[in-house]
Amino acid sequence: MPRDMIHSVRMRPPAVAALLCLLVSPAWGADGKEKNLLRQLDSREALQDSLESFFDTRFCAPVKQGRFAWPEELAAPGIHLPTESFVWITSCSMRALSFEPGPQGASLHLLFELEGLDHDGARHSIRSEADATLSRPRPDAWRLEQLSPTSRQEAIRPEPRFIEQAEAAGLVLPAEADGEAAGMQAAMNSGALAVRDFDGDGLPDVLFADPRALYLFHATAPLHYTRTRLDVAPPKGAWFSSLAAGDFDADGDADVVITTQTAWNADSKPVALRNDKGTFTVVASKLPPANAHTSLVTDFDGDGKLDVVFLHYPMKFGPDDFLNARDGRPARFFRGKGDLTFQELSPPKAEQHRRWGLAAVAADLLGEGRPQVYVANDFGDNDLWRFDADGTPRDVTEAHGLRDPGNGMSADVGDVNGDGLLDLYVANMFSKAGTRVLAAASQVRPELKSRLDKFAAGNTLYLARGDGTFEEVARARGVNRGLWAFGSIFLDADDDGRLDLSVANGFYSAPNRKDL
């Protein structure tokens, strides 16, 4: 990518960055036609930015101040957001999913979100989509002429579903925690925890890895913890990146394998801790040096001894290809011998994909009686690994329709529809700006546009059919828009016997936060 493109791409949402990189990529052979398209898209987005600023300052700001009716200079008579049930609106957002400017205005498909308190004091939120038309009475102003809702989701919560109690419970780090001391790169790419009953007293404890320190939060009573910093440090120049907890030596308590990571991809030695009723001792594990970002515990060969999987995520800006990165490293599979030592098993050479691995989940998705491992990779395709009787990993993703190209951030499994089969949810990234720009990029060749559309579409939900194949239903079930999703889990949040989904999203977009 040319150096003068790096700054502009950094500030843009992921799908837009991918498109811009491809438009100027030598692999596509950018000519006058593609460069003209790039200029058109930039011009359209600049106009759309002015519209979003207008929405924020002239439409949403008055709503949050209690002025729910817009003056006629902003909206035609009778046009308003569904504010009838609110007494106070704390959050208002209006964003375009598609945007078609014209000589005197624009037509768009609008996503708007409202959150606040209703007349009963309950937390009330509304998310809706609508087709809209706007006029432009002058260059610095817009007027909403038509608003036709096409969908609506509404939630009312009389009481908070979850209450923050970490500080009261003692689950906080000390002021001298090493996150900042370890450097910004380590602080932003680490932080791991494992919840286990490490000392066998019947209460779950919490082990937390700060970049250069380990903290054990010992449960002395339900929701009451005492904190101890363990006398364990990462190798010189490295930081702790993930925790894999399990009974690796089959003595009845959970041991820990800690992966380590370094800047610019230099390998470093993992740390293995043998647990003896809550007392940890560093031991030799025969694990080779690795620059692992994530780890996963499972018994992938079905021999009753816990195994571990390591994923690599490069410590640098930008992959070699935003849609199909090949400059990462293959996932690594280690077969446990039952004594906290391990033997590495590798896939066939043709299946050793060089991915940007972020997360993995182990489950029997194929109904074979032992787990497979599904890996969510950033900047490209995901992988489903099945294991031979001797533990050799095999890439069977294509055979089961689970490749799911996108910015894979996490994965979880659960029986969503109660049919006895495990379903799969993958957190990717939903980009309003990417959706809008790609809708306007009519000159992009179809196969490329299809892949780009998937990168901006958001999260994926695969329902198992029972024959080893899966149906993708995220949009149909309304669970694709997790925004910039960093993680996701199934849980029964309201104790009604049905699985709900929780999606954590984050990161920031420098001064421009419109895509969060």
Side-chain angles (χ1 to χ4, degrees), residues 57-293:
T57 58
R58 301 301 303 279
F59 283 80
C60 276
V63 166
K64 291 190 286 184
Q65 293 168 1
R67 292 178 282 152
F68 295 169
W70 292 318
E72 288 193 17
E73 68 180 70
L74 293 181
I79 293 182
H80 60 87
L81 295 180
T83 57
E84 299 84 358
S85 58
F86 291 94
V87 295
W88 180 32
I89 291 176
T90 57
S91 176
C92 172
S93 173
M94 300 174 67
R95 295 292 181 259
L97 294 177
S98 65
F99 175 68
E100 191 60 41
Q104 304 299 324
S107 60
L108 64 155
H109 189 65
L110 186 68
L111 172 66
F112 63 83
E113 298 168 294
L114 300 172
E115 185 165 337
L117 298 179
D118 66 14
H119 296 277
D120 297 321
R123 175 66 65 180
H124 196 154
S125 62
I126 295 175
R127 172 183 284 194
S128 181
E129 294 182 29
D131 292 324
T133 57
L134 299 102
S135 62
R136 202 169 193 198
R138 58 181 190 273
D140 63 341
W142 300 82
R143 186 175 190 261
L144 192 57
E145 302 291 350
Q146 175 260 338
L147 187 70
S148 302
T150 58
S151 67
R152 175 165 166 164
Q153 295 176 329
E154 194 164 359
I156 300 175
R157 297 190 296 277
E159 297 179 356
R161 185 168 293 169
F162 299 100
I163 300 173
E164 168 62 50
Q165 294 193 358
E167 187 171 0
L171 283 170
V172 292
L173 291 173
E176 67 272 15
D178 287 343
E180 290 299 323
M184 182 60 71
Q185 192 169 46
M188 290 185 64
N189 291 281
S190 62
L193 61 82
V195 181
R196 296 286 190 279
D197 180 9
F198 287 109
D199 56 4
D201 65 357
L203 296 172
D205 309 303
V206 178
L207 184 66
F208 178 80
D210 203 40
R212 291 181 177 166
L214 284 180
Y215 295 93
L216 177 63
F217 295 87
H218 171 238
T220 58
L223 284 178
H224 186 78
Y225 297 85
T226 59
R227 182 186 66 222
T228 303
R229 178 169 177 165
L230 302 186
D231 187 20
V232 180
K236 184 178 180 180
W239 61 81
F240 293 132
S241 54
S242 75
L243 299 175
D247 189 6
F248 293 111
D249 57 5
D251 67 351
D253 49 24
D255 312 296
V256 183
V257 170
I258 313 168
T259 62
T260 60
Q261 198 165 14
T262 64
W264 311 114
N265 304 319
D267 288 339
S268 60
K269 189 75 172 174
V271 177
L273 301 180
R274 184 188 305 280
N275 179 21
D276 183 17
K277 298 180 180 179
T279 300
F280 293 96
T281 306
V282 177
V283 297
S285 66
K286 296 185 180 179
L287 286 166
N291 198 51
H293 182 73

